[in-house]
Amino acid sequence: MTVSDKTTSDIFRNAIEALKDPLPQRVWSVIVSLFGDIAQGERDQISGVALTEVGRLMGIRSEAIRVALHRLRKDGWIESLRDGRSSMHKLTAAGRRASINATPKIYAREPVTTPGWYVICTDRDLHGDTGKTLSNAGISLSRNSFLVAENKLPDTANMLVFRASPEHVPDWARSQICPDELQQAAVTLETSLQKASSYITAPPGFDALQTTALRTLIVHRWRRIALRIPDAPVCFFPKTWRGEACQQLSSGLLDQLPAPNLPDLETAASGYRHRDLSV
Amino acid sequence: MTVSDKTTSDIFRNAIEALKDPLPQRVWSVIVSLFGDIAQGERDQISGVALTEVGRLMGIRSEAIRVALHRLRKDGWIESLRDGRSSMHKLTAAGRRASINATPKIYAREPVTTPGWYVICTDRDLHGDTGKTLSNAGISLSRNSFLVAENKLPDTANMLVFRASPEHVPDWARSQICPDELQQAAVTLETSLQKASSYITAPPGFDALQTTALRTLIVHRWRRIALRIPDAPVCFFPKTWRGEACQQLSSGLLDQLPAPNLPDLETAASGYRHRDLSV
């Protein structure tokens, strides 16, 4: 082990420590983040060995990876193929779609700025999925009125539509949009990302497994906040909201840690192949 | 009786016939229209004799006037004073206030055009009279969201406020704003007013009692529509809405029938004093 190796391994250990979720992790969800980050392509697949090694670097036991893959197969996220003594895993078509849908929000570089907003009211008797569609597209203001961004407008033929610009947003509306728990999660993540950034300064020379482990933790933790940020005008967020800081820090870290090629990941993992073939 | 008297009396009878409400009248409400129209001043009062005579010309029996005045006293609209063998009646302070509040809508010459509209949302838990205040100020879009005109905005410190311009108004919203029954009432009133206008062409030479009877019927019937027209952008009304036609016709008729002075009314009524002193 060279001095450089020692340094790289210290930096890695510190960065992993900084990025580990203070809350218990759902391993299946971490794996979804990993596939979404480096294996979203239709032909992309990752071996059980590589998944196990990346998991080990993140502090996840191989048994937990095995259980999570089982659940992901059952829920239609992942399909697995035997390949000799090992297995290859890939996103299903449905898994890919869900992953692709989430990508813009997770990897956006800038806060989304929307030029126009609409208040939409439906008839008092909401039929079918209209209410769900509308609250997913924007913010629910009441059981039958919604704030929706211009670029998310559904078919409004049967709806009452106002072009709307917010003039006054009271505290209760800010709390509804951005609950305390989400605000607190952003504050905590900002601290983690700042700490990790302070370790990963110069190009760190991580191997493909290390890079994947770090990227996965970053993407996973940011994803759990990013996907819960409602599509709302900027003035709806509290002044103390740290979502944008988290977005910038995670983008910066991912730039420092370019996604590895899958062959490089397998090569790095193959050194460990003797340890565990059973996933 | 001269030829002119005969003509005047024919015109009057035809006009009254045209203006009579096809639906049963609430006499107390007719009396409120009468006071609001010619005796809204703080010192204005009308004798029981004059009320009885005007009522008689409208086809209301003196007994019904007596019962209605009793109810109006009980409900705090009217106060009555004995004056020798007759009684004098006037609006109470509360009655005057209600009457003054309704005046702009009843006597407006032009459709109200409002430059700006706002969508206002309250917190999900509406306290006290906020909801009632807001639906009176504008249109209720849901249990906690309202469309309110610029000049009717309440204290919005604790409300979510959007400046809003309507872009699409579906049929169900038009029906909610302007229910079939209100639309039909406007169509019926337009016919009545047109018929009355066709009789009252040249200055008709009615006495103060006749003028009051005709004005009261016009104001009363229009009032029952005017006060139910919601404060809403023009595009919320159906194309077949006849409210504005009614407004123009009733304004035109009232211009032809200038409100009499109260002394003239009493003078005209005194000729009939021997008939009924008991109101």
Side-chain angles (χ1 to χ4, degrees):
Chain A
M1 186 176 274
T2 64
V3 174
S4 160
D5 281 349
K6 172 84 170 69
T7 313
T8 296
S9 132
D10 284 348
I11 293 172
F12 178 75
R13 202 164 33 244
N14 286 334
I16 283 282
E17 219 37 62
L19 290 169
K20 264 188 187 162
D21 204 319
L23 301 171
Q25 298 177 79
R26 288 171 305 173
V27 178
W28 68 265
S29 178
V30 174
I31 294 176
V32 167
S33 297
L34 187 157
F35 272 89
D37 187 45
I38 63 167
Q40 204 182 79
E42 204 171 339
R43 289 159 193 274
D44 292 346
Q45 44 184 30
I46 303 178
S47 71
V49 176
L51 286 177
T52 305
E53 286 310 318
V54 174
R56 193 177 55 78
L57 293 175
M58 294 188 284
I60 300 171
R61 290 178 306 111
S62 62
E63 174 61 18
I65 298 280
R66 207 171 3 244
V67 170
L69 284 170
H70 181 72
R71 172 169 178 178
L72 287 166
R73 268 192 299 274
K74 221 183 62 183
D75 291 350
W77 273 94
I78 290 281
E79 53 193 321
S80 304
L81 300 159
R82 277 263 148 222
D83 177 25
R85 294 177 61 200
S86 180
S87 293
M88 297 304 286
H89 308 278
K90 57 177 292 194
L91 288 173
T92 60
R96 275 190 74 224
R97 267 198 306 279
S99 189
I100 288 167
N101 285 342
T103 294
K105 274 210 160 184
I106 300 171
Y107 293 90
R109 295 259 148 186
E110 301 290 333
V112 182
T113 53
T114 306
W117 295 93
Y118 289 82
V119 170
I120 291 181
C121 305
T122 61
D123 202 353
R124 311 246 160 165
D125 300 318
L126 269 185
H127 296 300
D129 291 333
T130 313
K132 214 175 151 192
T133 306
L134 282 166
S135 36
N136 284 341
I139 296 164
S140 164
L141 300 172
S142 76
R143 216 169 54 81
N144 65 317
S145 57
F146 305 87
L147 180 67
V148 181
E150 194 161 42
N151 55 352
K152 294 275 185 70
L153 275 185
D155 173 13
T156 55
N158 204 28
M159 299 174 189
L160 175 56
V161 181
F162 300 91
R163 193 173 174 91
S165 60
E167 293 240 333
H168 177 62
V169 183
D171 288 342
W172 62 260
R174 288 208 175 80
S175 309
Q176 272 181 24
I177 289 297
C178 206
D180 284 353
E181 190 255 320
L182 182 62
Q183 289 191 54
Q184 190 48 54
V187 169
T188 306
L189 177 57
E190 186 186 16
T191 309
S192 297
L193 293 171
Q194 275 171 334
K195 221 182 257 180
S197 300
S198 74
Y199 297 125
I200 306 169
T201 46
F206 298 138
D207 69 20
L209 289 169
Q210 290 172 318
T211 303
T212 303
L214 289 168
R215 283 188 65 95
T216 299
L217 283 182
I218 294 161
V219 167
H220 182 62
R221 288 193 58 192
W222 168 233
R223 172 169 85 99
R224 286 168 58 196
I225 290 172
L227 296 186
R228 286 167 61 205
I229 302 173
D231 244 329
V234 175
C235 60
F236 273 66
F237 292 89
K239 287 211 179 69
T240 53
W241 169 239
R242 301 308 295 163
E244 290 175 27
C246 290
Q247 180 183 44
Q248 280 157 30
L249 282 161
S250 63
S251 295
L253 277 164
L254 294 177
D255 285 347
Q256 296 258 51
L257 303 163
N261 295 325
L262 294 183
D264 291 349
L265 184 71
E266 297 301 334
T267 307
S270 64
Y272 304 86
R273 177 157 290 203
H274 61 283
R275 291 195 191 158
D276 193 330
L277 291 171
S278 53
V279 170
Chain B
M1 183 178 274
T2 65
V3 174
S4 161
D5 280 349
K6 171 85 172 67
T7 313
T8 298
S9 135
D10 283 348
I11 293 173
F12 177 74
R13 204 168 28 249
N14 285 333
I16 283 281
E17 218 39 60
L19 290 170
K20 264 190 190 164
D21 203 318
L23 301 171
Q25 299 177 77
R26 289 170 305 170
V27 178
W28 66 267
S29 178
V30 174
I31 294 177
V32 166
S33 296
L34 187 158
F35 272 90
D37 186 45
I38 62 166
Q40 204 182 77
E42 206 173 335
R43 291 161 192 270
D44 292 346
Q45 44 184 28
I46 304 180
S47 69
V49 176
L51 287 176
T52 305
E53 286 310 317
V54 174
R56 192 175 57 79
L57 292 176
M58 294 187 286
I60 301 171
R61 289 178 308 112
S62 62
E63 173 61 20
I65 298 279
R66 214 182 343 258
V67 170
L69 283 170
H70 181 71
R71 174 171 176 179
L72 287 166
R73 268 192 299 273
K74 220 182 63 184
D75 290 353
W77 273 94
I78 290 281
E79 52 193 322
S80 304
L81 299 160
R82 278 260 149 226
D83 178 23
R85 295 176 60 196
S86 181
S87 295
M88 296 305 288
H89 309 279
K90 57 178 294 192
L91 288 172
T92 60
R96 274 190 75 223
R97 268 199 305 279
S99 189
I100 288 167
N101 285 342
T103 294
K105 275 210 161 184
I106 301 172
Y107 294 90
R109 295 257 148 187
E110 301 289 333
V112 182
T113 54
T114 307
W117 295 93
Y118 289 83
V119 170
I120 291 181
C121 306
T122 60
D123 202 352
R124 310 246 162 168
D125 300 318
L126 269 185
H127 295 301
D129 291 333
T130 315
K132 213 176 151 193
T133 305
L134 283 165
S135 35
N136 284 342
I139 297 164
S140 163
L141 301 171
S142 76
R143 217 169 56 79
N144 65 317
S145 57
F146 305 87
L147 178 67
V148 180
E150 195 161 41
N151 55 351
K152 295 275 185 72
L153 275 184
D155 173 13
T156 55
N158 203 28
M159 299 175 189
L160 175 55
V161 181
F162 300 92
R163 193 172 173 91
S165 59
E167 294 238 332
H168 178 61
V169 182
D171 288 341
W172 61 261
R174 286 207 178 82
S175 308
Q176 271 181 26
I177 289 297
C178 205
D180 284 353
E181 189 254 319
L182 182 61
Q183 289 190 54
Q184 191 48 55
V187 169
T188 306
L189 178 57
E190 187 187 13
T191 308
S192 298
L193 293 171
Q194 276 171 334
K195 221 182 259 182
S197 300
S198 74
Y199 296 125
I200 305 171
T201 46
F206 298 139
D207 69 20
L209 289 170
Q210 289 173 319
T211 304
T212 302
L214 289 168
R215 284 187 66 95
T216 299
L217 283 182
I218 294 161
V219 168
H220 182 62
R221 289 193 58 193
W222 169 234
R223 173 170 85 101
R224 286 167 60 194
I225 291 173
L227 296 185
R228 287 165 63 204
I229 302 173
D231 244 328
V234 176
C235 60
F236 273 66
F237 292 89
K239 287 210 180 71
T240 51
W241 169 237
R242 301 306 296 161
E244 289 174 28
C246 291
Q247 181 182 46
Q248 279 158 29
L249 282 163
S250 62
S251 295
L253 277 166
L254 294 178
D255 285 347
Q256 296 258 51
L257 303 163
N261 295 326
L262 295 183
D264 291 348
L265 184 70
E266 297 300 336
T267 305
S270 64
Y272 304 86
R273 177 160 287 204
H274 61 282
R275 290 192 191 162
D276 194 329
L277 291 171
S278 51
V279 171

